[in-house]
Amino acid sequence: MATEKSSSRSWMSDAAIYQIYPRSFKDSTGSGLGDIAGITQQMDYLEQLGIEAIWLSPFYPSPLVDGGYDVADYCDVDPRLGSLDDFDDMITAAHAHGIKVIVDIVPNHSSNQHPWFKAALAAGPGSPERDRYIFRDGRGEHGELPPTNWNANFGGPAWTRVADGQWYLHMFTPEQPDFDWSCPEVHAFFCDVLAFWSDRGVDGFRIDVAHGLAKDLDRDDLDRWHLAEGDDMVDDGTHPLWDRNEVHEIYREWRRVFDRYDPPRSAVAEAWVLPERQYLYARPSELGQTFNFEFAKATWTYDDMHAAIEEGLKAAIESDSASTWVLSNHDVPRVATRYALPQIKATRYHQIALDWLLRDGSSYDEDRELGERRARAALLLELALPGSAYVYQGEELGLFEVADIPWAALEDPTATNTHGPKREKGRDGCRVPLPWVAADDPAQGGSFGFSPADADAAPHLLQPAWFSDYAADREEADPTSMLALYRDALWLRRKLRGCANDLKWLDLDGRTGLADGAEGAEGGVIAYRRDNGWACVTNFGAAPVELPTGRVLLTSSPLVDGRLAQDSSAWIMLAEL
Ligand code: GLC
């Protein structure tokens, strides 16, 4: 598979990008919340890791109902996380370390504390202030019933009634009212927001819920569509709420803003859409890149991982963009835990991990040794692929999901808003503050180096004692640690990667693919090479496999008699092309 190198490619198209969830990365003030200055403090660590950019999840002023994805001011820093001066210092330090900066833009909804929403409530029905959001009269004799029957993501109804009787739409929590993107003011506002951060030196943007902005509520069949489940997605852009064709007009408008800068700014769409429509967001005339979540959804099986790669490459070629590879992020259970649980294909992504979380980690055995071994193999499988790779903070330490956070301590609205069979514990287990220093024991008032020694408050989510084994300083001293593997792999990748979407599958003397007689998802070898001879082999099966002739560059676990054991990957520079 090969394509012409596109002239429209940006630095983002083959970069390794590290996602920072700011509240849980590093606390410089002792408040128990991570902050912007904390990121600046860790710039050496980030540079040594070998990543080329950081993406910051929202750090804007926010009531933090949804981890900051409820923005009250799009052009400032939450005072608990610092100031715009801190942001400027951080970006200067990042650039000095050769690291680019991506910020998160949340255009589908604001916080209900945003001045525009407060003004909409005050101004009343029919006012221009209400036109920026989606207000409707209710149904029933006195408008007492919501305009449609929709449930919101994270549970509960998708409409909330205000004092004067009207209802407003929120795809997420009631504290996150949806903007009305048919309102020209909303368009102008977000173009200004993109320019504001671009002017401050930001190199790119991650677009939250990019597939949700355009909506068609002027039709009479709304009740037959779903807002939350996402299982009635259509492939022609006519769903009233998701992935509508007109949403692309918004991104063409944004491209004109990005192209005002030199170099042009780039963006990546978070769009949970049908795979065949993913690439539309990545077109060079739009955002330039879209997340391919297939790895994050896949089980650790030959079938799933192979299909994920095929899908990603196909989408990239069709869109003349580059693929993106994601093992985990702040919304999904940690990869090492997913691979430590039974690899059962469920109808809902991560169902096994979500059930396990619901029972505080007691319903399945979490085989951590196995999870770590597979996560190491997955990293090499991922990083040799063409395209960009996203690393979620703590993944490089091999952190597992924290399953036993008490319900009362959970912050994720999913935990409070879901009930009955849909009950979920939420996403806090992958958002626990990072352990930096093993010896700074929380039992003695420490925080594994997350907060300074004289901190006023404990970390906002408590760290479990086992985090000490995964602290960055301990792993830095251990050449066999996950951190050492991430560093080696990320730096090697920078030397070896090509720029085109090239990849050739390797047939290792018939051993590639599912082994004969293998049951269901067992076994198989995924092997591919890039055009410069850089090859990756991953063995899913019980029998060790011979590697192709060449120089072994890196392995995820030691070879056994020169062969690659189960749940392992190796990078090889092939002797012959
Ligand atoms: C995206 C974010 C998620 C957030 C949601 C609503 O999916 O990744 O964390 O809760 O949007 O903004």
Side-chain angles (χ1 to χ4, degrees), residues 66 69 109 154 172 206 208-209 270 330-331 427 431:
D66 181 20
Y69 285 91
H109 44 265
F154 313 152
F172 296 88
R206 179 260 188 191
D208 189 64
V209 197
E270 185 216 24
H330 65 299
D331 289 331
R427 302 160 292 178
R431 300 175 176 182

Side-chain angles (χ1 to χ4, degrees), residues 250-435:
I250 300 169
Y251 301 129
R252 285 194 280 274
E253 184 178 35
W254 289 11
R255 172 53 57 187
R256 291 196 285 280
V257 178
F258 300 155
D259 286 349
R260 296 210 303 254
Y261 293 86
D262 183 19
R265 303 315 191 223
S266 342
V268 55
E270 185 216 24
W272 296 83
V273 301
L274 296 176
E276 62 270 32
R277 288 183 57 90
Q278 243 177 33
Y279 75 93
L280 297 171
Y281 297 80
R283 287 178 287 195
S285 55
E286 300 191 17
L287 296 176
Q289 202 176 71
T290 185
F291 282 123
N292 159 22
F293 290 122
E294 298 307 306
F295 268 165
K297 296 190 290 197
T299 57
W300 178 251
T301 56
Y302 170 88
D303 274 353
D304 258 24
M305 297 303 277
H306 192 271
I309 297 173
E310 289 272 28
E311 283 292 350
L313 294 175
K314 191 167 140 256
I317 286 169
E318 280 173 10
S319 59
D320 187 24
S321 67
S323 191
T324 55
W325 308 103
V326 180
L327 288 171
S328 60
N329 62 29
H330 65 299
D331 289 331
V332 302
R334 284 209 177 266
V335 60
T337 289
R338 295 198 321 262
Y339 293 164
L341 298 173
Q343 298 303 292
I344 303 166
K345 187 98 188 152
T347 42
R348 237 174 110 221
Y349 310 126
H350 317 306
Q351 190 60 53
I352 303 297
L354 297 180
D355 289 350
W356 171 86
L357 270 173
L358 197 57
R359 284 166 190 78
D360 296 346
S362 64
S363 54
Y364 300 100
D365 177 34
E366 185 193 27
D367 185 339
R368 288 195 169 171
E369 207 179 306
L370 188 60
E372 181 175 333
R373 183 180 177 87
R374 290 171 167 170
R376 293 172 67 93
L379 178 72
L380 298 197
L381 178 64
E382 175 194 37
L383 287 189
L385 290 167
S388 59
Y390 286 80
V391 174
Y392 173 53
Q393 70 177 38
E395 196 187 295
E396 81 281 16
L397 301 174
L399 286 185
F400 294 90
E401 187 82 3
V402 182
D404 52 1
I405 304 175
W407 281 85
L410 292 172
E411 297 170 355
D412 187 342
T414 319
T416 29
N417 294 354
T418 56
H419 305 281
K422 297 202 168 178
R423 192 170 191 219
E424 277 183 33
K425 206 166 177 186
R427 302 160 292 178
D428 290 315
C430 68
R431 300 175 176 182
V432 176
L434 291 189

Side-chain angles (χ1 to χ4, degrees), residues 187-252:
H187 284 251
F189 175 75
F190 274 96
C191 286
D192 288 350
V193 169
L194 294 170
F196 176 87
W197 292 106
S198 297
D199 289 342
R200 289 201 109 82
V202 156
D203 303 280
F205 301 94
R206 179 260 188 191
I207 312 303
D208 189 64
V209 197
H211 56 312
L213 279 47
K215 300 179 179 77
D216 177 13
L217 302 192
D218 294 326
R219 48 202 269 181
D220 51 22
D221 67 343
L222 293 176
D223 276 348
R224 85 173 177 80
W225 298 91
H226 290 110
L227 184 155
E229 279 75 15
D231 53 4
D232 59 359
M233 296 292 276
V234 291
D235 63 6
D236 60 1
T238 59
H239 193 293
L241 295 164
W242 296 113
D243 191 30
R244 290 186 59 75
N245 291 328
E246 313 92 82
V247 82
H248 296 287
E249 286 162 25
I250 300 169
Y251 301 129
R252 285 194 280 274

